Amino acid sequence: MRRTAVALTLLTALSCGSFVGSQAVSAASASTGGGSGGGAGRGTNILVVGIDSRAGLSAAEKRRLHVGGKGCNCTDVMMLVHLSQNRRRASIVSIPRDSYVAYASTTATATAPARSGKINGAYAVGGGPLTVATVEKATGLHIDHYLETGFTGFEQTVNNLGGATVCTDKPLKDENSGLDIGAGRHLSDGDRALRYVRARHVNLRPGDLGRVRRQQRVVNDLLARLTAEGALRGPISTARTVRTLLKTVRTDERTGLDDLVRIGWALGHLRADRTEFATVPIRLFDHRVPGVGSTLVWDEARSAALWEALGADLPITGDTRIQPVAENPAPTDPARFAVRVDDADVAAALRGGGFVVTDTSATAPAQRPAGPPVIRHATGQEENAATVAAALPGARVQADPTLDAVVEVTVGARPVQVKAVTFDRNVADGAPVTADRLRCAEAAAAAGAARPGSAVEPSGRR
């Protein structure tokens, strides 16, 4: 089985299980009756998946990788990579594992009744062929290449590349994945990078969308570092990168070494503003389906626009059909945190706009202070305070370490305007963004400031 270079810049995001055999996957043979994705299309589409399976892992490996739970033999992470026809742009779209879709049919499942489920379950039903066919059916795009890796493949990939950058502006902790890192930018080995990309129960923005964005950020920074180091500079250096990592990934039978060296070489020459990352826009974040559980339902119009843009070989950033521009966007959901307001009218207006408000006007001073409203917040409540500020144009925002988790508004003598805000979780966790905006920032005070054991300096390439 021939393997790939380009996958190595993408598979750092894959928090998946070990291989389940040597099955080859052909997108062409998979798509018998599978939908509208069988055309030639424009550009190149690569489906990168990882399997949530513990098969083949020893007890010691499970403990080291913090993956002691039960695997589902399903795709845990899925990325669709579109490389433009002229090789001057790449669009990397994450497809959340709980997306509720109609499964395609293959020659192996043609006699079975039509069924729907989480997109990650297609692998358990029909392996790689059904996974490819289902993605083609759901997106209308033809998949040209298929790549797959696992827990240990991920770990080896990161270690062989000299580590992966992980970053966060706030401490992150997740007992399920073993993640525990401080704020800042850290160079981590494969084990700790795996915890970072697998975490779904972090204290900040839990769930798959936040995890997916962290995966995209790791991929982005790794690609930038490989490019800077010349690992994808030309055919020879790209092929050398392939040979270094032959054991970390497998591909379908139609994907040759020459194909993937060309793709890797193209990725290594892309400008940061020509590399795009996005997550499929979601309309329902907790759609309950009997026998399936909690699922994600795509926003029909916005996801259709996303696939249409990729099918037409067009950029996805800046396309307002995919990501509408809100008149007054808010970074957090106003219904998810508490606000204390010392003016009854302002409190009522904010409550009418979806905020959870406690009216403290009964204890407000009779003489209002001069100036606009003042918004005070505790450490860690910066984004919530920004949401309140969006609703109160001209307000001053101040940090107050004596406060608890409540944002507090003191209304001044100046008349107050209260504006409606729009919170779109797709913007917060998955809006189309170019690599130069997604990349981990160099934080002089925090870089490398991980607590002991949360991040380590890798030993370098092997």
Side-chain angles (χ1 to χ4, degrees):
M1 186 71 66
R2 292 174 293 182
R3 297 167 171 87
T4 169
V6 63
L8 307 173
T9 65
L10 305 171
L11 293 174
T12 56
L14 301 180
S15 53
C16 342
S18 58
F19 298 143
V20 289
S22 57
Q23 171 194 34
V25 180
S26 167
S29 63
S31 299
T32 55
S36 59
R42 286 190 283 176
T44 302
N45 295 315
I46 309 149
L47 184 64
V48 184
V49 306
I51 311 306
D52 184 357
S53 169
R54 276 69 170 171
L57 292 180
S58 67
E61 286 175 320
K62 290 179 182 179
R63 287 193 299 271
R64 186 186 77 248
L65 299 174
H66 217 85
V67 292
K70 182 180 180 181
C72 63
N73 192 34
C74 58
T75 52
D76 189 47
V77 176
M78 183 178 293
M79 286 184 173
L80 194 157
V81 183
H82 175 82
L83 185 62
S84 66
Q85 184 70 28
N86 63 10
R87 299 297 191 260
R88 294 179 181 176
R89 183 182 63 258
S91 304
I92 301 171
V93 179
S94 295
I95 302 176
R97 55 173 285 164
D98 292 337
S99 299
Y100 188 62
V101 298
Y103 293 166
S105 63
T106 67
T107 52
T109 63
T111 59
R115 60 176 294 183
S116 298
K118 296 180 181 181
I119 201 165
N120 69 337
Y123 191 95
V125 175
L130 186 60
T131 298
V132 169
T134 296
V135 171
E136 290 186 330
K137 180 183 179 73
T139 66
L141 300 173
H142 175 66
I143 302 302
D144 301 292
H145 303 291
Y146 171 88
L147 299 92
E148 182 181 305
T149 193
F151 284 130
T152 54
F154 170 90
E155 183 189 28
Q156 293 166 10
T157 297
V158 171
N159 288 337
N160 289 343
L161 290 174
T165 300
V166 302
C167 61
T168 174
D169 57 352
K170 295 179 176 67
L172 295 179
K173 187 172 184 179
D174 177 20
E175 293 183 1
N176 291 49
S177 73
L179 175 67
D180 187 6
I181 63 172
R185 188 175 188 270
H186 316 283
L187 184 61
S188 297
D189 66 2
D191 183 0
R192 290 177 174 84
L194 177 64
R195 300 181 187 196
Y196 176 83
V197 299
R198 287 187 64 234
R200 301 179 69 193
H201 304 280
V202 294
N203 49 304
L204 175 68
R205 288 183 180 167
D208 261 0
L209 266 65
R211 179 180 75 150
V212 163
R213 195 52 118 187
R214 291 192 297 276
Q215 295 163 359
Q216 294 171 355
R217 186 168 282 114
V218 170
V219 169
N220 185 22
D221 276 71
L222 178 60
L223 180 57
R225 185 158 59 82
L226 289 178
T227 300
E229 293 176 355
L232 302 174
R233 181 174 298 153
I236 295 176
S237 58
T238 303
R240 187 180 300 118
T241 304
V242 174
R243 290 194 296 270
T244 303
L245 300 158
L246 286 177
K247 296 181 181 180
T248 62
V249 63
R250 64 175 183 162
T251 71
D252 67 308
E253 70 220 11
R254 302 185 312 136
T255 302
L257 184 64
D258 53 344
D259 301 315
L260 294 158
V261 167
R262 283 197 300 270
I263 295 172
W265 189 12
L267 285 174
H269 286 76
L270 286 175
R271 289 171 13 194
D273 62 350
R274 295 294 184 88
T275 304
E276 307 172 306
F277 291 86
T279 302
V280 181
I282 304 299
R283 178 172 61 85
L284 297 176
F285 286 88
D286 186 19
H287 177 59
R288 300 281 173 164
V289 179
V292 178
S294 177
T295 69
L296 300 173
V297 175
W298 295 352
D299 185 291
E300 291 84 354
R302 291 161 69 172
S303 63
L306 172 65
W307 309 131
E308 180 183 338
L310 294 180
D313 205 25
L314 296 172
I316 58 176
T317 50
D319 189 331
T320 56
R321 300 174 308 154
I322 301 169
Q323 190 58 67
V325 179
E327 180 180 347
N328 191 25
T332 58
D333 186 349
R336 298 296 294 269
F337 64 93
V339 184
R340 287 197 292 256
V341 184
D342 71 350
D343 180 273
D345 291 338
V346 174
L350 287 173
R351 191 178 295 115
F355 287 86
V356 179
V357 179
T358 298
D359 182 352
T360 63
S361 58
T363 59
Q367 185 70 27
R368 293 287 178 177
V374 176
I375 301 169
R376 294 182 175 86
H377 64 87
T379 302
Q381 295 289 314
E382 291 82 5
E383 287 192 324
N384 288 340
T387 294
V388 178
L392 301 175
R396 297 199 305 265
V397 180
Q398 297 178 358
D400 186 344
T402 67
L403 288 178
D404 52 18
V406 176
V407 177
E408 194 168 89
V409 178
T410 301
V411 176
R414 184 180 301 177
V416 179
Q417 177 189 14
V418 180
K419 294 186 63 176
V421 300
T422 299
F423 170 71
D424 186 342
R425 188 172 170 185
N426 292 294
V427 173
D429 291 322
V433 63
T434 52
D436 53 327
R437 295 179 55 199
L438 184 64
R439 190 166 299 157
C440 287
E442 291 284 2
R451 294 189 295 276
S454 68
V456 300
E457 293 293 333
S459 58
R461 296 190 185 184
R462 300 172 184 170

mmCIF file of all heavy atoms in Angstrom, residues 198-224:
data_model
loop_
_atom_site.group_PDB
_atom_site.id
_atom_site.type_symbol
_atom_site.label_atom_id
_atom_site.label_comp_id
_atom_site.label_asym_id
_atom_site.label_seq_id
_atom_site.Cartn_x
_atom_site.Cartn_y
_atom_site.Cartn_z
ATOM 1 N N ARG A 198 -7.944 15.716 21.081
ATOM 2 C CA ARG A 198 -9.053 14.823 21.410
ATOM 3 C C ARG A 198 -10.037 15.438 22.385
ATOM 4 O O ARG A 198 -11.180 14.991 22.498
ATOM 5 C CB ARG A 198 -8.530 13.518 22.032
ATOM 6 C CG ARG A 198 -7.864 12.557 21.073
ATOM 7 C CD ARG A 198 -7.565 11.241 21.785
ATOM 8 N NE ARG A 198 -8.788 10.593 22.205
ATOM 9 C CZ ARG A 198 -9.047 10.189 23.455
ATOM 10 N NH1 ARG A 198 -8.168 10.394 24.410
ATOM 11 N NH2 ARG A 198 -10.182 9.602 23.743
ATOM 12 N N ALA A 199 -9.626 16.448 23.143
ATOM 13 C CA ALA A 199 -10.427 16.960 24.255
ATOM 14 C C ALA A 199 -11.797 17.454 23.790
ATOM 15 O O ALA A 199 -11.887 18.297 22.902
ATOM 16 C CB ALA A 199 -9.670 18.071 24.970
ATOM 17 N N ARG A 200 -12.845 16.943 24.415
ATOM 18 C CA ARG A 200 -14.216 17.374 24.106
ATOM 19 C C ARG A 200 -14.913 17.963 25.325
ATOM 20 O O ARG A 200 -16.008 18.501 25.210
ATOM 21 C CB ARG A 200 -15.050 16.185 23.594
ATOM 22 C CG ARG A 200 -14.515 15.516 22.355
ATOM 23 C CD ARG A 200 -15.392 14.357 21.947
ATOM 24 N NE ARG A 200 -16.699 14.792 21.465
ATOM 25 C CZ ARG A 200 -17.732 13.969 21.282
ATOM 26 N NH1 ARG A 200 -17.625 12.698 21.578
ATOM 27 N NH2 ARG A 200 -18.880 14.431 20.829
ATOM 28 N N HIS A 201 -14.291 17.840 26.497
ATOM 29 C CA HIS A 201 -14.948 18.269 27.734
ATOM 30 C C HIS A 201 -14.111 19.322 28.450
ATOM 31 O O HIS A 201 -13.992 19.314 29.665
ATOM 32 C CB HIS A 201 -15.182 17.062 28.643
ATOM 33 C CG HIS A 201 -15.962 15.964 27.990
ATOM 34 N ND1 HIS A 201 -17.329 16.001 27.876
ATOM 35 C CD2 HIS A 201 -15.552 14.813 27.388
ATOM 36 C CE1 HIS A 201 -17.747 14.911 27.243
ATOM 37 N NE2 HIS A 201 -16.694 14.178 26.932
ATOM 38 N N VAL A 202 -13.530 20.217 27.690
ATOM 39 C CA VAL A 202 -12.698 21.259 28.275
ATOM 40 C C VAL A 202 -13.570 22.277 28.992
ATOM 41 O O VAL A 202 -14.770 22.391 28.755
ATOM 42 C CB VAL A 202 -11.835 21.963 27.207
ATOM 43 C CG1 VAL A 202 -10.831 21.006 26.620
ATOM 44 C CG2 VAL A 202 -12.718 22.553 26.115
ATOM 45 N N ASN A 203 -12.931 23.055 29.864
ATOM 46 C CA ASN A 203 -13.644 24.073 30.612
ATOM 47 C C ASN A 203 -14.039 25.268 29.754
ATOM 48 O O ASN A 203 -14.841 26.094 30.154
ATOM 49 C CB ASN A 203 -12.777 24.564 31.780
ATOM 50 C CG ASN A 203 -11.364 24.903 31.326
ATOM 51 O OD1 ASN A 203 -10.679 24.074 30.743
ATOM 52 N ND2 ASN A 203 -10.921 26.120 31.588
ATOM 53 N N LEU A 204 -13.495 25.371 28.552
ATOM 54 C CA LEU A 204 -13.798 26.480 27.657
ATOM 55 C C LEU A 204 -14.329 25.924 26.343
ATOM 56 O O LEU A 204 -13.685 25.122 25.688
ATOM 57 C CB LEU A 204 -12.535 27.308 27.386
ATOM 58 C CG LEU A 204 -12.646 28.441 26.389
ATOM 59 C CD1 LEU A 204 -13.524 29.550 26.943
ATOM 60 C CD2 LEU A 204 -11.263 28.989 26.053
ATOM 61 N N ARG A 205 -15.555 26.313 25.966
ATOM 62 C CA ARG A 205 -16.177 25.880 24.723
ATOM 63 C C ARG A 205 -16.116 24.366 24.558
ATOM 64 O O ARG A 205 -15.406 23.843 23.694
ATOM 65 C CB ARG A 205 -15.516 26.565 23.529
ATOM 66 C CG ARG A 205 -15.884 28.033 23.433
ATOM 67 C CD ARG A 205 -15.286 28.684 22.204
ATOM 68 N NE ARG A 205 -15.667 30.083 22.162
ATOM 69 C CZ ARG A 205 -15.096 30.966 21.360
ATOM 70 N NH1 ARG A 205 -14.115 30.609 20.583
ATOM 71 N NH2 ARG A 205 -15.484 32.219 21.370
ATOM 72 N N PRO A 206 -16.849 23.636 25.392
ATOM 73 C CA PRO A 206 -16.845 22.179 25.269
ATOM 74 C C PRO A 206 -17.539 21.729 23.994
ATOM 75 O O PRO A 206 -18.248 22.486 23.341
ATOM 76 C CB PRO A 206 -17.628 21.729 26.513
ATOM 77 C CG PRO A 206 -18.527 22.885 26.823
ATOM 78 C CD PRO A 206 -17.742 24.113 26.454
ATOM 79 N N GLY A 207 -17.346 20.467 23.630
ATOM 80 C CA GLY A 207 -18.002 19.895 22.469
ATOM 81 C C GLY A 207 -17.077 19.771 21.276
ATOM 82 O O GLY A 207 -15.903 20.129 21.317
ATOM 83 N N ASP A 208 -17.650 19.254 20.194
ATOM 84 C CA ASP A 208 -16.850 18.944 19.016
ATOM 85 C C ASP A 208 -16.351 20.164 18.264
ATOM 86 O O ASP A 208 -15.253 20.149 17.711
ATOM 87 C CB ASP A 208 -17.657 18.059 18.062
ATOM 88 C CG ASP A 208 -17.290 16.595 18.195
ATOM 89 O OD1 ASP A 208 -16.420 16.280 19.028
ATOM 90 O OD2 ASP A 208 -17.879 15.760 17.479
ATOM 91 N N LEU A 209 -17.139 21.241 18.205
ATOM 92 C CA LEU A 209 -16.711 22.371 17.392
ATOM 93 C C LEU A 209 -15.465 23.040 17.943
ATOM 94 O O LEU A 209 -14.565 23.415 17.187
ATOM 95 C CB LEU A 209 -17.847 23.393 17.241
ATOM 96 C CG LEU A 209 -18.687 23.215 15.968
ATOM 97 C CD1 LEU A 209 -19.426 21.898 16.004
ATOM 98 C CD2 LEU A 209 -19.661 24.372 15.797
ATOM 99 N N GLY A 210 -15.385 23.188 19.265
ATOM 100 C CA GLY A 210 -14.176 23.741 19.855
ATOM 101 C C GLY A 210 -12.988 22.833 19.635
ATOM 102 O O GLY A 210 -11.877 23.287 19.363
ATOM 103 N N ARG A 211 -13.197 21.517 19.750
ATOM 104 C CA ARG A 211 -12.129 20.562 19.514
ATOM 105 C C ARG A 211 -11.645 20.640 18.065
ATOM 106 O O ARG A 211 -10.433 20.625 17.801
ATOM 107 C CB ARG A 211 -12.632 19.142 19.826
ATOM 108 C CG ARG A 211 -11.586 18.064 19.581
ATOM 109 C CD ARG A 211 -12.109 16.683 19.887
ATOM 110 N NE ARG A 211 -13.012 16.172 18.874
ATOM 111 C CZ ARG A 211 -13.151 14.884 18.597
ATOM 112 N NH1 ARG A 211 -12.465 13.976 19.260
ATOM 113 N NH2 ARG A 211 -13.992 14.490 17.671
ATOM 114 N N VAL A 212 -12.592 20.737 17.138
ATOM 115 C CA VAL A 212 -12.238 20.802 15.721
ATOM 116 C C VAL A 212 -11.376 22.022 15.434
ATOM 117 O O VAL A 212 -10.402 21.959 14.681
ATOM 118 C CB VAL A 212 -13.523 20.802 14.865
ATOM 119 C CG1 VAL A 212 -13.240 21.287 13.461
ATOM 120 C CG2 VAL A 212 -14.130 19.407 14.829
ATOM 121 N N ARG A 213 -11.716 23.161 16.043
ATOM 122 C CA ARG A 213 -10.929 24.365 15.810
ATOM 123 C C ARG A 213 -9.507 24.185 16.336
ATOM 124 O O ARG A 213 -8.544 24.656 15.710
ATOM 125 C CB ARG A 213 -11.605 25.559 16.480
ATOM 126 C CG ARG A 213 -11.093 26.902 16.026
ATOM 127 C CD ARG A 213 -11.112 27.047 14.496
ATOM 128 N NE ARG A 213 -11.963 28.106 14.026
ATOM 129 C CZ ARG A 213 -12.239 28.319 12.748
ATOM 130 N NH1 ARG A 213 -11.744 27.537 11.824
ATOM 131 N NH2 ARG A 213 -13.021 29.303 12.381
ATOM 132 N N ARG A 214 -9.350 23.515 17.468
ATOM 133 C CA ARG A 214 -8.003 23.242 17.977
ATOM 134 C C ARG A 214 -7.241 22.333 17.019
ATOM 135 O O ARG A 214 -6.041 22.520 16.796
ATOM 136 C CB ARG A 214 -8.090 22.610 19.372
ATOM 137 C CG ARG A 214 -8.582 23.565 20.445
ATOM 138 C CD ARG A 214 -8.365 23.000 21.836
ATOM 139 N NE ARG A 214 -9.122 21.776 22.073
ATOM 140 C CZ ARG A 214 -10.395 21.747 22.453
ATOM 141 N NH1 ARG A 214 -11.062 22.877 22.641
ATOM 142 N NH2 ARG A 214 -11.011 20.602 22.656
ATOM 143 N N GLN A 215 -7.914 21.358 16.460
ATOM 144 C CA GLN A 215 -7.268 20.485 15.480
ATOM 145 C C GLN A 215 -6.794 21.281 14.271
ATOM 146 O O GLN A 215 -5.669 21.100 13.785
ATOM 147 C CB GLN A 215 -8.250 19.393 15.035
ATOM 148 C CG GLN A 215 -8.640 18.431 16.133
ATOM 149 C CD GLN A 215 -9.891 17.646 15.796
ATOM 150 O OE1 GLN A 215 -10.493 17.837 14.736
ATOM 151 N NE2 GLN A 215 -10.295 16.771 16.691
ATOM 152 N N GLN A 216 -7.651 22.169 13.797
ATOM 153 C CA GLN A 216 -7.281 22.986 12.636
ATOM 154 C C GLN A 216 -6.067 23.849 12.945
ATOM 155 O O GLN A 216 -5.181 24.020 12.102
ATOM 156 C CB GLN A 216 -8.464 23.856 12.222
ATOM 157 C CG GLN A 216 -9.654 23.071 11.694
ATOM 158 C CD GLN A 216 -10.883 23.934 11.494
ATOM 159 O OE1 GLN A 216 -10.889 25.121 11.840
ATOM 160 N NE2 GLN A 216 -11.939 23.358 10.942
ATOM 161 N N ARG A 217 -6.018 24.386 14.156
ATOM 162 C CA ARG A 217 -4.900 25.252 14.527
ATOM 163 C C ARG A 217 -3.587 24.464 14.564
ATOM 164 O O ARG A 217 -2.540 24.942 14.128
ATOM 165 C CB ARG A 217 -5.177 25.915 15.876
ATOM 166 C CG ARG A 217 -4.141 26.941 16.284
ATOM 167 C CD ARG A 217 -4.604 27.767 17.463
ATOM 168 N NE ARG A 217 -5.547 28.799 17.062
ATOM 169 C CZ ARG A 217 -6.828 28.830 17.423
ATOM 170 N NH1 ARG A 217 -7.325 27.871 18.191
ATOM 171 N NH2 ARG A 217 -7.610 29.805 17.016
ATOM 172 N N VAL A 218 -3.629 23.244 15.079
ATOM 173 C CA VAL A 218 -2.432 22.400 15.108
ATOM 174 C C VAL A 218 -1.977 22.077 13.694
ATOM 175 O O VAL A 218 -0.789 22.153 13.363
ATOM 176 C CB VAL A 218 -2.693 21.108 15.905
ATOM 177 C CG1 VAL A 218 -1.545 20.123 15.730
ATOM 178 C CG2 VAL A 218 -2.875 21.419 17.387
ATOM 179 N N VAL A 219 -2.917 21.695 12.832
ATOM 180 C CA VAL A 219 -2.589 21.405 11.435
ATOM 181 C C VAL A 219 -1.937 22.618 10.777
ATOM 182 O O VAL A 219 -0.917 22.517 10.088
ATOM 183 C CB VAL A 219 -3.865 20.996 10.662
ATOM 184 C CG1 VAL A 219 -3.592 20.952 9.160
ATOM 185 C CG2 VAL A 219 -4.370 19.656 11.132
ATOM 186 N N ASN A 220 -2.526 23.766 11.000
ATOM 187 C CA ASN A 220 -2.043 25.000 10.398
ATOM 188 C C ASN A 220 -0.601 25.296 10.817
ATOM 189 O O ASN A 220 0.256 25.599 9.977
ATOM 190 C CB ASN A 220 -2.974 26.142 10.813
ATOM 191 C CG ASN A 220 -2.645 27.450 10.146
ATOM 192 O OD1 ASN A 220 -2.015 27.500 9.098
ATOM 193 N ND2 ASN A 220 -3.076 28.545 10.751
ATOM 194 N N ASP A 221 -0.345 25.216 12.102
ATOM 195 C CA ASP A 221 1.005 25.529 12.574
ATOM 196 C C ASP A 221 2.025 24.489 12.132
ATOM 197 O O ASP A 221 3.172 24.821 11.834
ATOM 198 C CB ASP A 221 1.004 25.685 14.097
ATOM 199 C CG ASP A 221 0.585 27.076 14.522
ATOM 200 O OD1 ASP A 221 -0.602 27.402 14.382
ATOM 201 O OD2 ASP A 221 1.439 27.855 14.970
ATOM 202 N N LEU A 222 1.612 23.220 12.058
ATOM 203 C CA LEU A 222 2.540 22.193 11.585
ATOM 204 C C LEU A 222 2.882 22.416 10.117
ATOM 205 O O LEU A 222 4.051 22.315 9.717
ATOM 206 C CB LEU A 222 1.937 20.812 11.785
ATOM 207 C CG LEU A 222 2.802 19.652 11.286
ATOM 208 C CD1 LEU A 222 4.141 19.630 12.006
ATOM 209 C CD2 LEU A 222 2.079 18.338 11.442
ATOM 210 N N LEU A 223 1.880 22.726 9.315
ATOM 211 C CA LEU A 223 2.128 22.987 7.897
ATOM 212 C C LEU A 223 3.069 24.172 7.726
ATOM 213 O O LEU A 223 3.985 24.141 6.895
ATOM 214 C CB LEU A 223 0.800 23.247 7.183
ATOM 215 C CG LEU A 223 0.881 23.549 5.687
ATOM 216 C CD1 LEU A 223 1.575 22.428 4.941
ATOM 217 C CD2 LEU A 223 -0.517 23.788 5.120
ATOM 218 N N ALA A 224 2.860 25.214 8.544
ATOM 219 C CA ALA A 224 3.731 26.391 8.465
ATOM 220 C C ALA A 224 5.162 26.028 8.844
ATOM 221 O O ALA A 224 6.119 26.490 8.214
ATOM 222 C CB ALA A 224 3.206 27.491 9.385
#
